[in-house]
Coordinates of all heavy atoms in Angstrom, one line a residue:
M1 N 23.9 0.2 -18.4 CA 23.2 0.0 -17.2 C 22.1 1.0 -17.1 O 21.0 0.6 -16.9 CB 24.2 0.2 -16.0 CG 23.6 0.7 -14.8 SD 22.9 -0.5 -13.6 CE 24.2 -1.6 -13.4
W2 N 22.4 2.3 -17.3 CA 21.3 3.3 -17.2 C 20.2 3.1 -18.2 O 19.1 3.3 -18.0 CB 21.9 4.8 -17.3 CG 22.3 5.2 -18.6 CD1 23.6 5.0 -19.1 CD2 21.6 5.8 -19.6 NE1 23.6 5.5 -20.4 CE2 22.4 6.1 -20.7 CE3 20.3 6.2 -19.6 CZ2 21.9 6.6 -21.9 CZ3 19.8 6.8 -20.8 CH2 20.6 7.0 -21.9
H3 N 20.6 2.7 -19.4 CA 19.7 2.4 -20.5 C 18.8 1.2 -20.1 O 17.6 1.3 -20.3 CB 20.5 2.0 -21.8 CG 19.6 2.3 -23.0 ND1 18.9 1.1 -23.5 CD2 19.3 3.2 -23.9 CE1 18.2 1.5 -24.5 NE2 18.5 2.8 -24.8
Q4 N 19.3 0.2 -19.6 CA 18.5 -0.9 -19.1 C 17.5 -0.5 -18.1 O 16.4 -1.0 -18.1 CB 19.4 -2.0 -18.5 CG 20.3 -2.7 -19.5 CD 21.1 -3.8 -18.9 OE1 20.6 -4.7 -18.4 NE2 22.4 -3.6 -18.9
V5 N 17.9 0.4 -17.1 CA 17.0 0.8 -16.0 C 16.0 1.8 -16.4 O 14.8 1.7 -16.2 CB 17.8 1.3 -14.9 CG1 17.0 1.9 -13.7 CG2 18.8 0.3 -14.2
L6 N 16.5 2.9 -17.1 CA 15.6 4.1 -17.4 C 14.9 4.0 -18.7 O 13.8 4.6 -18.8 CB 16.4 5.3 -17.2 CG 17.0 5.6 -15.8 CD1 17.9 6.8 -16.0 CD2 16.0 5.6 -14.8
V7 N 15.5 3.3 -19.7 CA 14.9 3.3 -21.0 C 14.0 2.0 -21.2 O 12.9 2.0 -21.5 CB 15.9 3.6 -22.2 CG1 15.3 3.4 -23.5 CG2 16.6 4.9 -22.0
E8 N 14.8 0.9 -21.0 CA 14.1 -0.3 -21.1 C 13.3 -0.8 -20.0 O 12.4 -1.7 -20.1 CB 15.3 -1.5 -21.4 CG 16.0 -1.2 -22.6 CD 17.2 -2.2 -22.8 OE1 17.1 -3.3 -22.4 OE2 18.2 -1.8 -23.4
R9 N 13.4 -0.1 -18.8 CA 12.7 -0.4 -17.6 C 12.8 -1.9 -17.2 O 11.7 -2.5 -16.8 CB 11.3 0.1 -17.7 CG 11.2 1.6 -17.9 CD 9.8 2.1 -18.0 NE 9.7 3.4 -18.2 CZ 9.6 4.4 -17.1 NH1 9.3 4.0 -15.9 NH2 9.5 5.6 -17.4
K10 N 13.9 -2.4 -17.3 CA 14.1 -3.8 -16.9 C 14.1 -4.0 -15.4 O 14.4 -3.1 -14.6 CB 15.4 -4.4 -17.4 CG 15.4 -4.5 -18.9 CD 16.6 -5.3 -19.4 CE 16.5 -5.5 -20.9 NZ 17.6 -6.4 -21.3
K11 N 13.6 -5.1 -14.9 CA 13.5 -5.5 -13.5 C 14.9 -6.0 -13.0 O 15.2 -6.0 -11.8 CB 12.5 -6.6 -13.2 CG 11.1 -6.1 -13.7 CD 10.5 -5.2 -12.7 CE 9.0 -5.0 -13.1 NZ 8.6 -3.7 -12.7
R12 N 15.7 -6.5 -13.9 CA 17.0 -7.0 -13.7 C 18.0 -6.4 -14.7 O 17.6 -6.4 -15.9 CB 17.2 -8.5 -13.6 CG 16.6 -9.1 -12.4 CD 16.9 -10.5 -12.3 NE 18.2 -10.9 -11.8 CZ 18.6 -10.9 -10.6 NH1 17.7 -10.5 -9.6 NH2 19.9 -11.1 -10.1
V13 N 19.2 -6.0 -14.3 CA 20.1 -5.4 -15.4 C 21.3 -6.4 -15.4 O 21.7 -7.1 -14.4 CB 20.6 -4.0 -15.0 CG1 19.5 -3.1 -15.1 CG2 21.2 -4.0 -13.7
V14 N 22.0 -6.5 -16.6 CA 23.1 -7.3 -16.8 C 24.4 -6.5 -16.9 O 24.4 -5.5 -17.6 CB 22.9 -8.2 -18.1 CG1 24.2 -9.0 -18.3 CG2 21.8 -9.0 -18.0
V15 N 25.4 -6.8 -16.0 CA 26.7 -6.1 -16.1 C 27.7 -7.3 -16.2 O 27.9 -8.1 -15.3 CB 26.9 -5.3 -14.8 CG1 28.4 -4.7 -14.9 CG2 25.9 -4.3 -14.6
G16 N 28.3 -7.3 -17.4 CA 29.2 -8.4 -17.7 C 28.5 -9.7 -17.7 O 27.5 -9.9 -18.3
D17 N 28.9 -10.7 -16.8 CA 28.3 -12.0 -16.7 C 27.3 -12.0 -15.5 O 26.8 -13.1 -15.3 CB 29.4 -13.1 -16.5 CG 30.3 -13.2 -17.7 OD1 29.9 -12.9 -18.8 OD2 31.5 -13.6 -17.4
D18 N 27.1 -11.0 -14.8 CA 26.2 -11.0 -13.7 C 25.0 -10.1 -13.9 O 24.9 -9.2 -14.8 CB 27.0 -10.4 -12.4 CG 28.2 -11.1 -12.1 OD1 28.0 -12.3 -12.0 OD2 29.3 -10.5 -11.9
S19 N 24.0 -10.5 -13.2 CA 22.7 -9.7 -13.3 C 22.3 -9.2 -11.9 O 22.7 -9.9 -10.8 CB 21.6 -10.4 -13.9 OG 21.2 -11.5 -13.1
Y20 N 21.7 -8.1 -11.8 CA 21.3 -7.5 -10.5 C 19.9 -6.9 -10.6 O 19.5 -6.4 -11.6 CB 22.3 -6.2 -10.2 CG 23.8 -6.7 -10.2 CD1 24.5 -6.6 -11.3 CD2 24.4 -7.2 -9.0 CE1 25.9 -6.9 -11.4 CE2 25.6 -7.5 -9.0 CZ 26.4 -7.4 -10.1 OH 27.7 -7.8 -10.1
P21 N 19.2 -7.0 -9.4 CA 17.8 -6.6 -9.4 C 17.7 -5.0 -9.4 O 18.6 -4.4 -8.7 CB 17.2 -7.2 -8.1 CG 18.4 -7.3 -7.3 CD 19.5 -7.6 -8.1
V22 N 16.7 -4.5 -10.0 CA 16.4 -3.1 -9.9 C 15.5 -2.9 -8.9 O 14.2 -3.5 -8.9 CB 16.0 -2.5 -11.2 CG1 15.6 -1.0 -11.2 CG2 17.0 -2.8 -12.4
L23 N 15.7 -2.0 -7.9 CA 14.7 -1.8 -6.8 C 14.2 -0.4 -6.9 O 14.7 0.4 -7.7 CB 15.5 -2.0 -5.4 CG 16.2 -3.4 -5.2 CD1 17.1 -3.4 -4.0 CD2 15.1 -4.5 -5.3
S24 N 13.2 -0.1 -6.1 CA 12.6 1.2 -6.0 C 12.8 1.8 -4.6 O 12.5 1.0 -3.6 CB 11.1 1.1 -6.4 OG 10.6 2.4 -6.5
T25 N 13.2 3.0 -4.5 CA 13.4 3.6 -3.1 C 12.0 3.8 -2.6 O 11.1 4.0 -3.3 CB 14.2 4.9 -3.2 OG1 13.5 5.9 -3.9 CG2 15.6 4.7 -3.8
A26 N 12.0 3.7 -1.2 CA 10.7 3.8 -0.5 C 10.1 5.2 -0.6 O 8.9 5.3 -0.9 CB 10.7 3.3 0.9
K27 N 10.8 6.1 -0.4 CA 10.3 7.5 -0.3 C 10.0 8.1 -1.6 O 8.9 8.6 -1.8 CB 11.4 8.4 0.4 CG 10.8 9.7 0.9 CD 11.9 10.4 1.8 CE 11.4 11.7 2.3 NZ 12.4 12.5 3.1
R28 N 10.9 8.1 -2.5 CA 10.7 8.9 -3.8 C 10.4 7.9 -5.0 O 10.3 8.4 -6.1 CB 11.8 9.8 -4.1 CG 11.8 10.9 -3.1 CD 12.9 11.9 -3.5 NE 12.9 12.9 -2.5 CZ 13.9 13.9 -2.5 NH1 14.8 13.9 -3.4 NH2 13.8 14.8 -1.5
K29 N 10.4 6.6 -4.8 CA 10.2 5.6 -5.9 C 11.2 5.8 -7.0 O 10.9 5.6 -8.2 CB 8.8 5.7 -6.4 CG 7.7 5.6 -5.4 CD 7.7 4.3 -4.8 CE 6.6 4.1 -3.8 NZ 6.9 3.2 -2.8
L30 N 12.5 6.1 -6.6 CA 13.6 6.2 -7.6 C 14.1 4.7 -7.9 O 14.3 4.0 -7.0 CB 14.7 7.0 -7.1 CG 14.4 8.5 -6.7 CD1 15.6 9.2 -6.1 CD2 13.9 9.3 -8.0
A31 N 14.4 4.6 -9.2 CA 15.0 3.3 -9.6 C 16.4 3.2 -9.0 O 17.2 4.2 -9.1 CB 15.0 3.1 -11.0
Q32 N 16.8 2.0 -8.4 CA 18.1 2.0 -7.8 C 18.6 0.5 -8.0 O 17.9 -0.4 -8.0 CB 18.0 2.2 -6.4 CG 19.1 2.1 -5.5 CD 18.9 2.6 -4.1 OE1 18.6 3.8 -3.9 NE2 18.8 1.6 -3.3
V33 N 19.9 0.4 -8.3 CA 20.5 -0.9 -8.5 C 21.9 -0.9 -7.8 O 22.7 0.0 -8.1 CB 20.5 -1.4 -10.0 CG1 21.4 -0.5 -10.8 CG2 21.0 -2.7 -10.1
D34 N 22.2 -1.9 -7.0 CA 23.6 -2.1 -6.4 C 24.2 -3.1 -7.2 O 23.7 -4.3 -7.5 CB 23.4 -2.5 -5.0 CG 22.9 -1.4 -4.1 OD1 23.2 -0.3 -4.4 OD2 22.1 -1.7 -3.1
F35 N 25.5 -2.9 -7.6 CA 26.2 -3.9 -8.5 C 27.7 -3.8 -8.2 O 28.1 -2.9 -7.5 CB 25.9 -3.7 -9.9 CG 26.4 -2.3 -10.5 CD1 27.5 -2.2 -11.2 CD2 25.6 -1.1 -10.3 CE1 27.9 -1.0 -11.7 CE2 26.0 0.0 -10.8 CZ 27.2 0.2 -11.5
E36 N 28.5 -4.8 -8.7 CA 29.8 -4.8 -8.6 C 30.5 -4.5 -9.9 O 30.0 -5.1 -10.9 CB 30.4 -6.1 -8.0 CG 30.1 -6.2 -6.5 CD 30.8 -7.3 -5.8 OE1 32.0 -7.6 -6.3 OE2 30.3 -7.8 -4.9
F37 N 31.5 -3.7 -10.0 CA 32.3 -3.5 -11.2 C 33.7 -3.3 -10.9 O 34.0 -2.4 -10.0 CB 31.7 -2.3 -12.0 CG 32.4 -2.1 -13.3 CD1 32.2 -2.9 -14.4 CD2 33.3 -1.1 -13.4 CE1 32.8 -2.7 -15.6 CE2 34.0 -0.9 -14.7 CZ 33.7 -1.6 -15.7
A38 N 34.6 -3.9 -11.4 CA 36.1 -3.8 -11.2 C 36.4 -3.9 -9.7 O 37.2 -3.2 -9.2 CB 36.6 -2.5 -11.8
G39 N 35.7 -4.8 -9.1 CA 36.0 -4.9 -7.6 C 35.3 -3.9 -6.7 O 35.6 -4.0 -5.5
Q40 N 34.6 -3.0 -7.2 CA 34.0 -2.0 -6.5 C 32.5 -2.2 -6.3 O 31.8 -2.6 -7.3 CB 34.2 -0.6 -7.1 CG 35.6 -0.1 -7.1 CD 36.0 0.4 -5.7 OE1 35.2 0.8 -4.9 NE2 37.2 0.3 -5.4
R41 N 31.9 -1.9 -5.2 CA 30.5 -1.9 -4.9 C 29.9 -0.6 -5.3 O 30.3 0.4 -4.8 CB 30.3 -2.2 -3.4 CG 29.2 -3.0 -2.9 CD 28.8 -4.4 -3.5 NE 27.4 -4.6 -3.2 CZ 26.6 -5.2 -4.0 NH1 27.0 -5.8 -5.1 NH2 25.3 -5.3 -3.6
I42 N 29.0 -0.6 -6.3 CA 28.6 0.7 -6.9 C 27.1 0.8 -6.8 O 26.4 -0.3 -7.0 CB 29.0 0.9 -8.3 CG1 30.6 0.9 -8.4 CG2 28.4 2.2 -8.9 CD1 31.0 0.9 -9.8
R43 N 26.4 1.8 -6.5 CA 25.0 2.0 -6.5 C 24.6 3.0 -7.7 O 25.2 4.1 -7.8 CB 24.5 2.6 -5.2 CG 23.0 2.9 -5.3 CD 22.4 3.3 -4.0 NE 22.2 2.0 -3.4 CZ 22.0 1.9 -2.1 NH1 21.8 3.0 -1.3 NH2 21.9 0.8 -1.5
G44 N 23.7 2.5 -8.6 CA 23.2 3.5 -9.6 C 21.8 3.8 -9.2 O 21.0 2.9 -8.8
S45 N 21.5 5.1 -9.3 CA 20.2 5.6 -8.9 C 19.7 6.6 -9.8 O 20.5 7.5 -10.3 CB 20.3 6.2 -7.5 OG 19.1 6.7 -7.0
S46 N 18.5 6.5 -10.2 CA 17.9 7.5 -11.1 C 17.9 8.9 -10.3 O 17.8 8.9 -9.0 CB 16.4 7.2 -11.5 OG 15.6 7.0 -10.4
K47 N 18.1 9.9 -10.9 CA 18.5 11.2 -10.3 C 17.1 11.8 -9.7 O 16.1 11.9 -10.4 CB 19.0 12.1 -11.3 CG 19.5 13.4 -10.7 CD 20.7 13.2 -9.7 CE 21.2 14.4 -9.0 NZ 21.9 14.2 -7.9
S48 N 17.3 12.2 -8.4 CA 16.2 13.0 -7.8 C 16.1 14.4 -8.3 O 17.1 14.8 -9.0 CB 16.3 12.9 -6.3 OG 17.4 13.7 -6.0
R49 N 15.2 15.1 -8.0 CA 15.0 16.5 -8.6 C 15.4 17.5 -7.6 O 14.7 18.4 -7.3 CB 13.5 16.7 -8.9 CG 13.0 15.6 -10.0 CD 11.6 15.7 -10.3 NE 11.3 14.6 -11.1 CZ 11.1 14.7 -12.5 NH1 11.2 15.8 -13.1 NH2 10.8 13.6 -13.1
N50 N 16.7 17.4 -7.2 CA 17.2 18.5 -6.3 C 17.8 19.6 -7.0 O 17.3 19.9 -8.1 CB 18.3 17.8 -5.3 CG 19.5 17.3 -6.0 OD1 19.7 17.6 -7.2 ND2 20.3 16.3 -5.4
R51 N 18.7 20.3 -6.6 CA 19.2 21.5 -7.2 C 20.4 21.4 -8.2 O 20.9 22.4 -8.6 CB 19.5 22.5 -6.1 CG 18.3 22.9 -5.3 CD 18.7 23.9 -4.3 NE 17.7 23.9 -3.2 CZ 17.7 24.6 -2.2 NH1 18.7 25.4 -1.9 NH2 16.8 24.4 -1.2
S52 N 20.9 20.2 -8.4 CA 22.0 20.1 -9.2 C 21.7 20.3 -10.7 O 20.6 20.2 -11.1 CB 22.7 18.7 -9.1 OG 21.9 17.7 -9.6
R53 N 22.7 20.4 -11.5 CA 22.5 20.6 -12.9 C 21.9 19.3 -13.5 O 21.1 19.4 -14.4 CB 23.7 21.1 -13.7 CG 24.8 20.0 -13.8 CD 26.0 20.6 -14.5 NE 27.1 19.6 -14.6 CZ 28.1 19.7 -15.3 NH1 28.2 20.8 -16.1 NH2 29.0 18.8 -15.3
W54 N 22.3 18.2 -13.0 CA 21.7 16.9 -13.4 C 20.2 16.8 -13.1 O 19.5 16.3 -13.9 CB 22.5 15.7 -12.7 CG 23.9 15.7 -13.2 CD1 25.0 16.0 -12.5 CD2 24.4 15.2 -14.4 NE1 26.1 15.8 -13.2 CE2 25.8 15.3 -14.4 CE3 23.8 14.8 -15.6 CZ2 26.6 15.0 -15.5 CZ3 24.6 14.4 -16.7 CH2 26.0 14.5 -16.6
A55 N 19.9 17.4 -12.0 CA 18.5 17.3 -11.6 C 17.7 18.3 -12.5 O 16.6 18.0 -12.9 CB 18.3 17.8 -10.1
A56 N 18.3 19.4 -12.9 CA 17.7 20.3 -13.8 C 17.4 19.6 -15.2 O 16.3 19.8 -15.7 CB 18.6 21.5 -14.1
L57 N 18.3 18.7 -15.6 CA 18.1 18.0 -16.8 C 17.0 17.0 -16.6 O 16.1 16.8 -17.5 CB 19.3 17.2 -17.2 CG 20.5 18.0 -17.8 CD1 21.7 17.2 -17.9 CD2 20.1 18.7 -19.0
A58 N 16.9 16.4 -15.4 CA 15.8 15.5 -15.1 C 14.5 16.1 -15.1 O 13.4 15.6 -15.6 CB 16.0 14.7 -13.8
R59 N 14.3 17.4 -14.6 CA 13.1 18.1 -14.6 C 12.8 18.5 -16.0 O 11.5 18.7 -16.3 CB 13.3 19.4 -13.8 CG 13.3 19.2 -12.3 CD 13.1 20.5 -11.5 NE 14.3 21.4 -11.7 CZ 15.4 21.3 -11.1 NH1 15.6 20.4 -10.2 NH2 16.4 22.2 -11.3
K60 N 13.7 18.6 -17.0 CA 13.4 18.9 -18.3 C 13.0 17.6 -19.1 O 12.7 17.7 -20.3 CB 14.5 19.5 -19.1 CG 14.8 21.0 -18.6 CD 16.0 21.5 -19.3 CE 16.3 23.0 -18.8 NZ 17.5 23.5 -19.4
G61 N 13.0 16.4 -18.4 CA 12.6 15.2 -19.1 C 13.7 14.3 -19.4 O 13.4 13.2 -20.0
A62 N 15.0 14.7 -19.2 CA 16.1 13.8 -19.4 C 16.1 12.6 -18.5 O 15.7 12.7 -17.4 CB 17.4 14.6 -19.4
K63 N 16.6 11.5 -19.0 CA 16.8 10.3 -18.2 C 18.3 10.4 -17.6 O 19.2 10.4 -18.3 CB 16.6 9.1 -18.9 CG 15.2 8.9 -19.4 CD 15.0 7.7 -20.3 CE 13.7 7.4 -20.7 NZ 12.6 8.3 -20.4
V64 N 18.3 10.6 -16.2 CA 19.6 10.7 -15.6 C 19.8 9.7 -14.5 O 18.9 9.4 -13.7 CB 19.7 12.2 -15.0 CG1 21.0 12.4 -14.2 CG2 19.5 13.3 -16.0
M65 N 21.0 9.1 -14.5 CA 21.4 8.1 -13.5 C 22.7 8.6 -12.9 O 23.7 8.9 -13.6 CB 21.5 6.7 -14.1 CG 21.9 5.7 -12.9 SD 21.7 4.0 -13.5 CE 20.0 3.7 -13.0
Q66 N 22.7 8.6 -11.5 CA 23.8 8.9 -10.7 C 24.5 7.7 -10.3 O 23.8 6.7 -9.8 CB 23.3 9.8 -9.6 CG 24.3 10.1 -8.6 CD 23.6 11.0 -7.5 OE1 22.4 11.0 -7.3 NE2 24.4 11.7 -6.7
F67 N 25.8 7.6 -10.1 CA 26.6 6.4 -9.6 C 27.3 6.8 -8.4 O 28.0 7.8 -8.4 CB 27.5 5.9 -10.7 CG 26.6 5.2 -11.9 CD1 26.4 6.1 -13.0 CD2 26.3 4.0 -11.8 CE1 25.7 5.5 -14.0 CE2 25.5 3.4 -12.8 CZ 25.2 4.2 -14.0
L68 N 27.3 6.0 -7.3 CA 28.0 6.3 -6.0 C 28.8 5.0 -5.6 O 28.3 3.9 -5.8 CB 26.8 6.6 -5.0 CG 25.9 7.7 -5.3 CD1 24.6 7.1 -5.8 CD2 25.7 8.6 -4.2
I69 N 29.8 5.4 -4.9 CA 30.6 4.4 -4.2 C 30.6 4.8 -2.8 O 31.1 6.0 -2.5 CB 32.1 4.2 -4.7 CG1 32.0 3.6 -6.2 CG2 32.9 3.3 -3.8 CD1 33.3 3.4 -6.8
A70 N 30.2 4.1 -1.8 CA 30.2 4.4 -0.4 C 29.5 5.8 -0.2 O 30.0 6.6 0.7 CB 31.6 4.4 0.2
G71 N 28.4 6.0 -0.9 CA 27.6 7.2 -0.7 C 28.2 8.5 -1.3 O 27.6 9.5 -1.2
R72 N 29.3 8.3 -2.1 CA 29.9 9.5 -2.7 C 29.7 9.4 -4.2 O 29.9 8.4 -4.8 CB 31.4 9.6 -2.4 CG 31.7 9.7 -0.9 CD 33.1 10.0 -0.6 NE 33.3 11.3 -1.0 CZ 34.3 12.0 -0.5 NH1 35.2 11.5 0.3 NH2 34.5 13.3 -0.8
D73 N 29.3 10.6 -4.8 CA 29.1 10.6 -6.3 C 30.4 10.3 -7.0 O 31.4 10.9 -6.7 CB 28.6 12.0 -6.7 CG 27.2 12.3 -6.2 OD1 26.5 11.5 -5.8 OD2 26.9 13.5 -6.3
I74 N 30.3 9.4 -8.0 CA 31.5 9.2 -8.8 C 31.2 9.5 -10.2 O 32.1 9.8 -11.0 CB 32.1 7.7 -8.7 CG1 30.9 6.7 -9.1 CG2 32.5 7.4 -7.3 CD1 31.6 5.4 -9.4
A75 N 29.9 9.5 -10.6 CA 29.6 9.8 -12.1 C 28.2 10.0 -12.2 O 27.4 9.6 -11.4 CB 30.1 8.6 -13.0
A76 N 27.8 10.6 -13.3 CA 26.4 10.6 -13.7 C 26.3 10.5 -15.1 O 27.2 10.9 -15.9 CB 25.8 12.0 -13.2
V77 N 25.2 9.9 -15.7 CA 25.0 9.7 -17.1 C 23.6 10.1 -17.4 O 22.7 10.0 -16.7 CB 25.1 8.2 -17.4 CG1 24.9 7.9 -18.8 CG2 26.5 7.7 -16.9
S78 N 23.6 10.7 -18.6 CA 22.2 11.3 -19.1 C 22.1 11.0 -20.6 O 23.1 10.9 -21.3 CB 22.1 12.7 -18.8 OG 21.0 13.3 -19.4
D79 N 20.9 11.0 -21.1 CA 20.6 10.9 -22.5 C 20.5 12.3 -23.1 O 20.1 12.4 -24.2 CB 19.3 10.1 -22.7 CG 18.0 10.8 -22.2 OD1 18.1 11.7 -21.4 OD2 16.9 10.3 -22.6
A80 N 20.8 13.3 -22.3 CA 20.6 14.7 -22.9 C 21.8 15.5 -22.9 O 22.0 16.5 -22.4 CB 19.6 15.4 -21.9
T81 N 22.8 14.9 -23.6 CA 24.2 15.6 -23.7 C 24.0 17.0 -24.3 O 24.8 17.9 -24.0 CB 25.2 14.8 -24.4 OG1 24.7 14.4 -25.7 CG2 25.5 13.5 -23.6
K82 N 23.2 17.1 -25.3 CA 23.0 18.5 -26.0 C 22.4 19.5 -25.0 O 22.8 20.6 -24.9 CB 22.0 18.4 -27.2 CG 22.7 17.6 -28.3 CD 21.8 17.5 -29.5 CE 22.5 16.6 -30.6 NZ 21.6 16.4 -31.7
L83 N 21.5 19.1 -24.1 CA 21.0 19.9 -23.1 C 22.0 20.3 -22.1 O 22.0 21.4 -21.6 CB 19.8 19.3 -22.4 CG 18.4 19.2 -23.1 CD1 17.4 18.4 -22.3 CD2 17.9 20.5 -23.5
L84 N 22.8 19.3 -21.8 CA 23.9 19.6 -20.7 C 24.9 20.8 -21.1 O 25.1 21.5 -20.3 CB 24.6 18.2 -20.5 CG 25.8 18.3 -19.4 CD1 25.2 18.8 -18.1 CD2 26.6 17.1 -19.4
T85 N 25.3 20.8 -22.3 CA 26.2 21.8 -22.8 C 25.6 23.2 -22.8 O 26.3 24.2 -22.7 CB 26.8 21.5 -24.2 OG1 25.7 21.4 -25.1 CG2 27.6 20.2 -24.2
S86 N 24.2 23.2 -22.8 CA 23.6 24.5 -22.9 C 23.0 25.0 -21.5 O 22.5 26.1 -21.5 CB 22.4 24.5 -23.9 OG 21.4 23.6 -23.5
T87 N 23.3 24.2 -20.5 CA 22.7 24.6 -19.2 C 23.9 25.0 -18.2 O 24.3 24.3 -17.4 CB 22.0 23.4 -18.5 OG1 22.9 22.4 -18.5 CG2 20.7 23.1 -19.3
K88 N 24.4 26.2 -18.5 CA 25.6 26.7 -17.7 C 25.1 27.6 -16.6 O 24.3 28.3 -16.7 CB 26.6 27.3 -18.6 CG 27.2 26.3 -19.5 CD 28.2 27.0 -20.4 CE 28.9 26.0 -21.4 NZ 29.8 26.5 -22.2

């Protein structure tokens, strides 16, 4: 999912047999996609540049996507795993 959105910059992403549109948030123009997986409604959003360690990776140029269920963080994915281990 994150690769389709942030690397391939697709307008629609495919999850299993379904596809979902990639939208852009109005305020910060972050890529965002709402999808279903294992019966859960999940939102994937490119990471904003706030104060988290994930945001620090995004500021360094990493592609970071945050996943939420009902507004609560459940996971984050990045292409910068080497940077992550060195940012303590």
